[in-house]
Amino acid sequence: MADPLEEIAELTPWQRPLRAQFPIITAHPELAYLDSAATAQKPQAVLDAVRDYLVTSNANAGRGSYPWANTTTALVERTRDQVKEFLGDPDPGRSTVHFTSGTTEGLRTVARDWLAGSLGDGDEIVVPFADHQANLSPWLELRELLARQGVRIDVRELPCQAGSGDYDPAALAGIVGPRTRFVAATHVHHVYGVDLNVDRIRRVVGPEVPICLDAAQSIGHLPVSVADLDVDFVVFSGHKALALPGTGAVWARGLRGPELRPGGWPGTPNTVGVASLAAALDWLEAAGTDRIERWTVALTARLTDGLSRMGAYEVLGCQASLAAGSRVQRRRSLATFRHREVNAQDLGFILYSHGFMVRSDGHCQADAGEKEGSVRVSLHVHNTPEEVEELLATLASLQ
């Protein structure tokens, strides 16, 4: 595993011009935006694409025969293909892409419009109870919906390891059975920052069980290959991948089970959001998600290493991965911690008074997640080693 300082030194010439492309970042040099896991800032190329669309071809999609409408319709269809390409789809002719308002709506779409019709009385699904609430609520809502129809399903907890948040494949093997029909999982944990290695879930559940992946914290932060992951649905939010809020997508493989067909009248798509997503994916491809991952992982390793040397702080997640020289999997772009005496909300206010914008609350944890609030620092390509060092110096002064 590469040394974080060496990674930072090697990638700095690549990163500096990219940082300069974020207007809100360069306009506020006195502030450090450290909350990209909540929403990412937008590069100039995305802002330009939004403006260009609105002033040159803004129209509804699929509802007109004049040039603006045709251009918009083509944009929506082209962006579907772009999502497939971005995900490394090995069979794009079979798969589909449906645009949503974000990850939460996308997961509900899978639950309501695909999974509901595939389950019978006594079937089981396995879902995470210690990840984001958005990857639990839709499956519990589905259970209630089916119960009102006289269909009883068993929603089982996807086992995870205490303290690290990592999934426990051995325990999972003990609960998967012949009535297991579906598994929901998370790609990168939104509190612990760990890549949850969903390939291990596929090996446990076998080749026939569909897997739905919440990729809200991985799309735009690291390369995502559906060919390698062997999942059936990838759901993500555009606003965490440099696009506008209210934008997201569901990629559906169409291999295990019927084609995903969202129910109801489709209505007007968020065309300007789709334009922003197309531009964001272009920008990410040009920058290189592999290098974005290397940069943010190196910065996060420096952060956790510094925090681990301060007795006043407890870093959440795997303790063996905190040191910069650790051989254990490092956190993907985010680290979450607590001060042992100052509550998270107060620490968040204090840090902002020093110019650091962080998240400080319960992070929308699901039922079995952390009960106590904490501070989360989440990084993206525009963040710098200087910001990390200044944050560590400030945290040290608060011990």
Side-chain angles (χ1 to χ4, degrees), residues 156-171:
R156 313 201 73 179
E157 181 175 350
L158 179 58
C160 63
Q161 299 172 9
S164 72
D166 202 4
Y167 294 143
D168 187 339

Side-chain angles (χ1 to χ4, degrees), residues 176-380:
V176 170
R179 300 302 300 270
T180 302
R181 298 288 184 258
F182 178 85
V183 175
T186 302
H187 196 184
V188 173
H189 200 282
H190 72 295
V191 173
Y192 304 113
V194 62
D195 181 337
L196 292 164
N197 297 300
V198 294
D199 58 299
R200 300 176 304 173
I201 293 176
R202 170 59 66 202
R203 291 197 294 270
V204 172
V205 302
E208 303 301 326
V209 177
I211 298 175
C212 177
L213 188 64
D214 173 353
Q217 297 298 344
S218 56
I219 298 293
H221 290 83
L222 66 155
V224 178
S225 168
V226 294
D228 295 339
L229 292 169
D230 192 15
V231 295
D232 300 272
F233 301 94
V234 171
V235 187
F236 67 94
S237 298
H239 74 98
K240 297 185 182 185
L242 311 183
L244 291 184
T247 308
V250 178
W251 171 87
R253 184 185 291 274
L255 178 63
R256 302 173 180 94
E259 178 183 336
L260 171 62
R261 296 180 180 274
W265 181 252
T268 299
N270 179 5
T271 53
V272 69
V274 172
S276 76
L277 180 60
L281 296 181
D282 281 339
W283 193 93
L284 290 165
E285 286 277 17
T289 52
D290 57 337
R291 286 178 290 184
I292 292 173
E293 179 186 27
R294 288 171 58 198
W295 180 258
T296 56
V297 167
L299 292 182
T300 309
R302 173 65 193 110
L303 175 61
T304 60
D305 182 79
L307 282 168
S308 69
R309 302 171 190 272
M310 302 181 198
Y313 298 96
E314 171 198 6
V315 183
L316 306 188
C318 175
Q319 299 302 294
S321 65
L322 300 181
S326 171
R327 310 306 298 177
V328 179
Q329 178 197 146
R330 292 177 177 144
R331 286 159 175 78
R332 263 58 190 161
S333 79
L334 64 90
T336 307
F337 56 91
R338 298 189 184 102
H339 194 289
R340 299 189 190 279
E341 296 182 9
V342 181
N343 73 55
Q345 291 281 9
D346 288 345
L347 183 56
F349 284 122
I350 293 169
L351 289 175
Y352 179 71
S353 73
H354 289 79
F356 302 103
M357 292 180 281
V358 300
R359 180 158 176 178
S360 53
D361 59 16
H363 314 295
C364 302
Q365 283 275 73
D367 295 355
E370 299 279 346
K371 305 303 181 188
E372 184 182 347
S374 54
V375 169
R376 183 180 69 187
V377 171
S378 50
L379 307 167
H380 217 306

Side-chain angles (χ1 to χ4, degrees), residues 94 99 132 177 179 220 384 386:
R94 175 191 290 270
F99 295 116
H132 198 285
R179 300 302 300 270
T384 66
E386 291 78 13

